[in-house]
Amino acid sequence: MTTDADLNPAPFKSGYVTIAGAPNSGKSTLLNRILGEKISIISSKPQTTRTRILGVCHRPGAQIVFYDTPGVFVAKDTLNLRIVDTAIGAIGEADVLLAVVDAARPDPEAEDCLLQKIHDQKHPAVLALNKIDLIPDKQVLLETIALWSRYHPFEAVVPISALDGTQVEAIVSAIVKALPVGPAYYPEETLTDATERFIASELIREKLFRLTGEEIPYASAVTVEAFKPSAGGKRVSIEATIHLERDSQKGIVIGKGGAMLKAIGTAARQEMAEHLGAAAHLSLWVKVKKGWRNDPLLLRLLGIAREA
Ligand code: GDP
Ligand code: MG
């Protein structure tokens, strides 16, 4: 039997989607949730760009290429603004912007900044109001949805819980709807173009972003010296170094009695274990090198080409 769908199949859709939002709004949780547990299967293509993690979502009739940008966070001072502007470059290349907001914990300052970024770009935007599992009062939720719908002509405003998966497929559908017609850019089995090693270094960098003041992220880089899975694949040993520019920064990153470094290491290790689906053992060092940003060897290690 021939159906209308056979005669007029919906054209394949594809495109790039940048995920933007304040730290802790749940961007990475959402991406992992959309990609499914298979995030630990990682292709070995080398990563060339430092600030982007690419995640490829395959659905019947569509492919979404997500950029999870650890650097896209809400800037509260000029120094951070510069970092944001670099990272936000990804938005310029995207077809759709996925904004993620922690709906359970309104932060007007952070939300203003995010909205400004959304207004400043011309791509369709889909809004995920995340963490609705923490909002028991549905009336409050309805008001939040109404409020955000007035802020910007979003393609869709979808209340979700990235943590428990509620409405996550509705976000995917809303994005697919907003995507242009296009080919599949990546083969079916590709979930990311980042190596596990690269993800490990990004996770450490992200914790630095979150746990230290604004001076540190800008002045820091992370290299992974060793990445050794155990024979059975149940355990991975990782050795990494945080590179800083000044001794005073070293004090901040190490913290009182090593507390800060320990917190960074613990947070990074826990997330590595999640990503890898294996226990992670992390040894973390801190090195001070003046002007590391001009060190050709370190830049090569970081995959950043020196400008001619
Ligand atoms: P990111 O900085 O935007 O990438 O945020 P993460 O994905 O790292 O999440 C930050 C924190 O929020 C983590 O502790 C997550 O477990 C938590 N989180 C993310 N999504 C949800 C959600 O839907 N509900 C709840 N309760 N917590 C969430
Ligand atoms: Mg994240």
Side-chain angles (χ1 to χ4, degrees):
M1 201 175 83
T2 319
T3 64
D4 280 358
D6 293 330
L7 294 172
N8 279 316
F12 196 88
K13 293 178 120 187
S14 64
Y16 289 83
V17 175
T18 296
I19 308 176
N24 281 314
S25 54
K27 300 180 295 296
S28 301
T29 307
L30 177 56
L31 180 59
N32 287 342
R33 175 64 69 178
I34 289 172
L35 297 182
E37 302 311 317
K38 275 159 52 183
I39 186 70
S40 60
I41 300 165
I42 281 165
S43 90
S44 57
K45 272 199 218 158
Q47 174 78 23
T48 45
T49 314
R50 188 152 85 114
T51 49
R52 293 175 205 170
I53 289 182
L54 190 134
V56 188
C57 163
H58 307 268
R59 290 293 183 272
Q63 183 178 86
I64 313 171
V65 184
F66 285 100
Y67 284 133
D68 188 10
T69 48
V72 178
F73 62 103
V74 175
K76 293 189 174 167
D77 56 57
T78 17
L79 191 65
N80 277 350
L81 262 176
R82 282 164 68 185
I83 304 168
V84 173
D85 285 344
T86 317
I88 213 99
I91 290 179
E93 297 158 28
D95 296 295
V96 175
L97 176 70
L98 171 59
V100 182
V101 165
D102 181 344
R105 232 204 277 168
D107 177 346
E109 202 185 339
E111 286 159 10
D112 273 359
C113 185
L114 180 65
L115 271 169
Q116 197 56 52
K117 294 289 172 198
I118 296 169
H119 289 321
D120 288 350
Q121 55 95 46
K122 35 183 197 317
H123 305 289
V126 170
L127 176 67
L129 292 173
N130 193 27
K131 309 200 185 180
I132 58 162
D133 54 294
L134 300 176
I135 309 176
D137 187 340
K138 291 305 151 215
Q139 192 56 39
V140 171
L141 184 56
L142 287 174
E143 281 161 19
T144 308
I145 296 168
L147 196 66
W148 278 94
S149 305
R150 282 201 297 274
Y151 288 157
H152 182 84
F154 289 104
E155 301 299 308
V157 176
V158 188
I160 67 159
S161 170
L163 196 67
D164 68 20
T166 303
Q167 291 261 83
V168 165
E169 274 308 304
I171 275 285
V172 174
S173 304
I175 293 166
V176 169
K177 220 170 142 193
L179 284 180
V181 170
Y185 295 113
Y186 291 88
E188 191 85 37
E189 68 279 5
T190 303
L191 278 172
T192 180
D193 72 343
T195 60
E196 292 177 339
R197 216 183 159 104
F198 172 77
I199 289 176
S201 73
E202 283 292 277
L203 285 174
I204 297 166
R205 227 158 57 82
E206 192 183 56
K207 302 311 160 199
L208 267 170
F209 264 75
R210 284 198 193 163
L211 296 170
T212 66
E214 64 274 2
E215 182 196 12
I216 301 300
Y218 195 65
S220 66
V222 177
T223 52
V224 173
E225 281 72 44
F227 189 98
K228 293 182 218 138
S230 67
K234 285 209 170 77
R235 221 181 133 73
V236 181
S237 280
I238 300 158
E239 287 171 31
T241 306
I242 297 172
H243 302 265
L244 298 167
E245 288 189 316
R246 287 199 301 273
D247 283 323
S248 59
Q249 295 161 343
K250 189 172 179 175
I252 297 170
V253 169
I254 290 176
K256 224 180 183 173
M260 177 58 86
L261 190 61
K262 195 169 171 208
I264 292 167
T266 303
R269 180 174 50 74
Q270 281 168 354
E271 229 174 286
M272 281 170 194
E274 248 170 71
H275 271 285
L276 297 167
H281 180 268
L282 175 63
S283 308
L284 203 49
W285 281 276
V286 178
K287 266 190 200 158
V288 175
K289 185 164 185 195
K290 248 197 193 128
W292 62 260
R293 269 176 285 178
N294 295 315
D295 178 347
L297 182 66
L298 186 56
L299 289 180
R300 208 161 59 228
L301 274 172
L302 293 169
I304 302 168
R306 214 148 60 113
E307 278 168 37

